[in-house]
Amino acid sequence: GAVVSQHPSRVICKSGTSVKIECRSLDFQATTMFWYRQFPKQSLMLMATSNEGSKATYEQGVEKDKFLINHASLTLSTLTVTSAHPEDSSFYICSARSTGGVGTQYFGPGTRLLVL
Amino acid sequence: AQSVTQLDSQVPVFEEAPVELRCNYSSSVSVYLFWYVQYPNQGLQLLLKYLSGSTLVKGINGFEAEFNKSQTSFHLRKPSVHISDTAEYFCAVSEGNNAGKSTFGDGTTLTVKP
């Protein structure tokens, strides 16, 4: 089956620093990747849709300058949380949709970010 | 715009009993429907999906769901649950225009007791 990886799985950083999270599709090409944020005991909130070779589309209320998304290749998208603050602490999950795929998204294992 | 309502936030059930997790959706166009399972501190795993065709969909781990267009529902069922089925379950809908963007329900916590 389709496999999506995320790195790192956990990260702890100081307030004010930037953190980069990678999302890779390991055995398929993904024209579209999605970035979600999940607070404890809550559902997934879509942050942005990332298309290979073009600018990401951000959902309403998500700061594009704070959450930088790059989708440089068909197998890699990165999310950079810039100048992180404690309120950015969360579980970040990416998903990928294969080229020609119909609707199905494959999810990564998630990255737990803790900002001190 | 599309939306998803999971009618039960928590479902406690005894081992080997049947279970149904309810999901209703709304959309102005045709949809794709999904059920995902999430174990603690992990990502989402696809249980099953409805794209087209037969309205009864069978998934992994003995789960199945039935798409009911007239009732705009996609309830998840399992005839006999195990302790290992304890997890968070999410219903999701994606509009059938292949945009791929999904809307998730708030989740249902299934707790299987011995």
Side-chain angles (χ1 to χ4, degrees):
Chain A
V3 178
V4 176
S5 69
Q6 278 184 244
H7 177 80
S9 58
R10 293 172 181 268
V11 57
I12 302 173
C13 68
K14 292 182 179 180
S15 185
T17 61
S18 295
V19 175
K20 180 186 283 188
I21 303 170
E22 292 186 349
C23 177
R24 293 182 186 271
S25 56
L26 298 184
D27 51 1
F28 66 100
Q29 293 185 328
T31 50
T32 304
M33 289 184 170
F34 303 90
W35 286 96
Y36 295 87
R37 185 173 181 176
Q38 186 181 33
F39 292 103
K41 306 292 185 183
Q42 294 188 26
S43 188
L44 279 70
M45 181 191 79
L46 180 65
M47 298 174 66
T49 302
S50 167
N51 291 297
E52 186 265 339
S54 62
K55 290 184 178 180
T57 303
Y58 290 81
E59 295 299 301
Q60 191 173 10
V62 178
E63 299 176 60
K64 61 180 68 175
D65 293 331
K66 181 164 186 64
F67 298 101
L68 300 178
I69 291 172
N70 184 281
H71 192 161
S73 76
L74 285 172
T75 59
L76 173 65
S77 176
T78 60
L79 168 68
T80 301
V81 183
T82 62
S83 186
H85 292 286
E87 59 265 30
D88 299 323
S89 299
S90 191
F91 194 49
Y92 292 88
I93 304 175
C94 74
S95 71
R97 190 166 68 101
S98 64
T99 55
V102 180
T104 303
Q105 296 177 43
Y106 301 96
F107 285 82
T111 296
R112 176 77 59 192
L113 170 63
L114 177 60
V115 184
L116 302 176
Chain B
Q2 58 200 22
S3 67
V4 179
T5 302
Q6 290 184 241
L7 297 160
D8 309 291
S9 60
Q10 298 198 36
V11 174
V13 65
F14 286 104
E15 192 174 19
E16 297 184 4
V19 71
E20 178 180 81
L21 306 184
R22 297 180 293 168
C23 173
N24 285 92
Y25 70 93
S26 68
S27 175
S28 57
V29 298
S30 61
V31 296
Y32 303 138
L33 294 156
F34 307 84
W35 274 100
Y36 295 92
V37 59
Q38 185 180 34
Y39 298 100
N41 296 309
Q42 294 187 28
L44 274 66
Q45 180 181 7
L46 180 67
L47 278 176
L48 48 78
K49 61 186 177 184
Y50 171 79
L51 302 181
S52 65
S54 173
T55 56
L56 182 61
V57 180
K58 294 189 182 296
I60 62 171
N61 300 343
F63 284 94
E64 64 178 35
E66 185 156 19
F67 170 56
N68 188 319
K69 188 174 181 180
S70 62
Q71 297 187 6
T72 60
S73 68
F74 190 56
H75 301 334
L76 180 70
R77 302 186 185 97
K78 185 170 182 177
S80 176
V81 294
H82 302 290
I83 298 288
S84 58
D85 291 323
T86 295
E88 190 79 12
Y89 291 80
F90 292 97
C91 179
V93 61
S94 174
E95 291 188 339
N97 57 7
N98 209 29
K101 193 164 72 170
S102 292
T103 300
F104 287 81
D106 289 337
T108 296
T109 303
L110 174 65
T111 303
V112 181
K113 300 180 285 187

